[in-house]
Amino acid sequence: MLVPVLAIAVSSLLAVTFVQAECTNPSVRKEWRTLSAAERTEWIEAVKCLGKLPNSGTFQQTVFPDDIAAYNSSGSWYDDFVYMHMDLNHRIHVTGFFLPWHRWYVQVYENTLKEKCGYTGVSPYWDWASDSADVKGSSIFDADVEISGLGGWGNLSNDAEVYDGGFSDFKLTYPVPHQLRRNFTLQPYIGLDETFFTEPYLYANESFTQSVVDHMVNNYVGDYKGFQQYMEGWEGPHGSVHLTLGGDLGGTCPDFAPSTCVGGPTFSANEPIFWFHHAMVDKVWYDWQNADPANAGIFFGGSVQMQDNITIWEQYPNGGPPYLNLSSLMPSNGLFDQPTIQDVINTTSGMLCYVYE
C-alpha cells in the first residue's frame, strides 16, 4: 500500500539536536531539465550500466515479507537496489525511517553509479510541482529525445511498456522479468478503502501542486511528525506522484505476473524516475529543514507501522514504539555499511555533502 496524508493536528515532537562538521564543498543537485543533454545522457547510460552488471553478491534479505517475490540471484546490481526497497518496505514506509532512509538510499545509489559505472554527476530531481497542472504533457516525458530523454508514456496495448527514449530497452527482474512500464493515471484512488482514502475521486495531481509544497515548507514548525504525515499521507504528495505515473512507479503488477503478485510501493524503484521523485521529496524536506531554525536537525518517529485502522494511524502516522532516535541504525541489506539517522539528518554534514539548487 502506498502510504498516507491527512492534515490533522498533531503535537510538536522534537528530538535532541546535534552539531557535526560541515562539508566544505557541497555538490549541487539540480532539476533534471536544467542539465545539459550530455549530462542527462551520462546519467541514463550509468543507470543502464548498473542494470547490466551482475548483482552485488552481498545482498542479505532481512525482513522476508510475504507480499514480495523471491530474490532472483540472476538479477542485476540495479535489481539489488529494487529488492532492498522490496524487502524493507514495511520498515521504511509509515515509520520514522521514511525520510532519512530514502535520503540515504538516493545518496548511496548515486555513489554506486559513480563507483560501478563511472558517473561523474550528482543526483537530479524532478520538480513535479511545476508540472502538476499537466503531468501527462510534461516535457520530462518528451518522447522525441531518444538519447538523453526518459521516454514517454507506455503503450497501453502492450502492458504500458515504455518504447521510446533512453529506457526503451530497460529490462527489470521484479516482481517478474519485464520491461519498464509507465501508465498515466489521474484518478488512482477510485475503489480504494474510503476509510483511509477519503477523497476517492480526487485528481492526484492536486496533491502535489506548488501551493502544497509551499504549505509543507512553511508550516509544521518544529513538528517533524506533522511534516512527514502531510508528505506521506494516504492521498498526499509522495503517494500521488507514484500513482499518477502508474506502471512500475505506481507498483502495478505486470499483466503476465502470477496471481500471487501483490502491487504497492515495493518494486517502485524499477522506474528510473523513482530516483528523481525521491530526490524531490528530499528537497522538500531539505527546504523545510532550512525554513526555520526550529526544524534543523530534529527527528521523531517509531519503528513499527501502525495502520490497523484510521484512528491508530492518526495517532502514529510515522510509526509506533519502539521509537527511533538519531543514533538508530538504518537497514542496508548487506549492500552497504549501516548508517545512523544522524548520519543523514543534515545534507552538509555526517556522510552527506550536497545542497539543492
Side-chain angles (χ1 to χ4, degrees):
M1 188 187 308
L2 279 165
V3 287
V5 95
L6 297 176
I8 60 174
V10 292
S11 60
S12 181
L13 294 160
L14 307 181
V16 177
T17 58
F18 64 95
V19 177
Q20 286 185 310
E22 293 280 311
C23 64
T24 57
N25 187 29
S27 61
V28 180
R29 291 186 176 180
K30 300 179 181 181
E31 214 276 342
W32 171 251
R33 287 161 292 192
T34 69
L35 303 181
S36 68
E39 289 171 324
R40 295 195 300 270
T41 298
E42 184 190 11
W43 186 87
I44 290 171
E45 291 304 313
V47 173
K48 292 165 71 174
C49 160
L50 202 63
K52 294 175 182 177
L53 292 179
N55 65 61
S56 65
T58 63
F59 187 90
Q60 299 170 8
Q61 193 169 3
T62 59
V63 179
F64 298 95
D66 59 9
D67 58 352
I68 65 172
Y71 181 76
N72 187 334
S73 60
S74 66
S76 68
W77 238 108
Y78 190 94
D79 292 321
D80 271 4
F81 269 102
V82 175
Y83 204 82
M84 176 161 53
H85 194 263
M86 293 169 65
D87 179 51
L88 300 177
N89 173 45
H90 300 295
R91 296 190 65 190
I92 60 175
H93 298 116
V94 206
T95 71
F97 279 136
F98 174 69
L99 290 169
W101 189 90
H102 283 85
R103 171 175 281 181
W104 168 81
Y105 190 48
V106 173
Q107 183 60 61
V108 291
Y109 179 72
E110 176 189 314
N111 296 348
T112 305
L113 291 179
K114 291 178 177 178
E115 294 165 7
K116 301 293 182 183
C117 295
Y119 181 58
T120 62
V122 298
S123 295
Y125 68 92
W126 171 31
D127 181 6
W128 27 254
S130 68
D131 285 329
S132 60
D134 183 17
V135 179
K136 190 173 186 179
S138 167
S139 61
I140 203 167
F141 304 112
D142 188 345
D144 296 327
V145 184
E146 291 299 323
I147 304 300
S148 61
L150 303 170
W153 299 98
N155 181 354
L156 296 184
S157 66
N158 189 26
D159 199 17
E161 289 185 358
V162 175
Y163 57 89
D164 51 21
F167 291 107
S168 61
D169 58 349
F170 199 50
K171 307 299 182 184
L172 301 153
T173 295
Y174 301 109
V176 292
H178 69 284
Q179 186 163 316
L180 176 66
R181 298 162 304 127
R182 198 176 290 152
N183 184 1
F184 179 68
T185 308
L186 196 54
Q187 290 182 290
Y189 298 115
I190 295 174
L192 301 183
D193 185 350
E194 294 185 22
T195 304
F196 295 97
F197 298 95
T198 58
E199 296 183 70
Y201 295 98
L202 176 75
Y203 288 98
N205 61 326
E206 295 176 12
S207 296
F208 51 92
T209 63
Q210 187 59 53
S211 62
V212 167
V213 171
D214 292 342
H215 172 83
M216 286 188 286
V217 170
N218 298 317
N219 290 279
Y220 309 105
V221 176
D223 182 8
Y224 183 99
K225 177 180 175 181
F227 174 81
Q228 181 180 334
Q229 182 180 15
Y230 197 92
M231 171 64 81
E232 205 194 6
W234 294 102
E235 293 164 329
H238 166 249
S240 288
V241 173
H242 273 274
L243 293 178
T244 299
L245 267 64
D248 281 289
L249 192 67
T252 60
C253 294
D255 284 348
F256 51 85
S259 59
T260 54
C261 179
V262 178
T266 57
F267 51 85
S268 58
N270 277 334
E271 165 68 84
I273 292 175
F274 172 97
W275 307 101
F276 299 175
H277 172 37
H278 272 279
M280 179 62 177
V281 171
D282 183 59
K283 180 182 185 299
V284 177
W285 181 27
Y286 166 91
D287 289 341
W288 175 80
Q289 288 180 308
N290 288 282
D292 193 287
N295 301 340
I298 66 169
F299 172 81
F300 177 85
S303 61
V304 178
Q305 289 183 339
M306 304 291 281
Q307 303 181 93
D308 290 349
N309 57 58
I310 191 64
T311 302
I312 290 175
W313 175 77
E314 287 174 352
Q315 184 177 357
Y316 302 102
N318 70 337
Y323 284 103
L324 303 167
N325 57 57
L326 293 173
S327 298
S328 297
L329 288 170
M330 296 194 294
S332 63
N333 287 110
L335 291 179
F336 308 96
D337 292 337
Q338 283 186 265
T340 66
I341 292 172
Q342 177 172 308
D343 286 331
V344 299
I345 203 71
N346 187 329
T347 69
T348 55
S349 68
M351 66 175 290
L352 304 176
C353 190
Y354 68 85
V355 295
Y356 284 97
E357 187 177 63

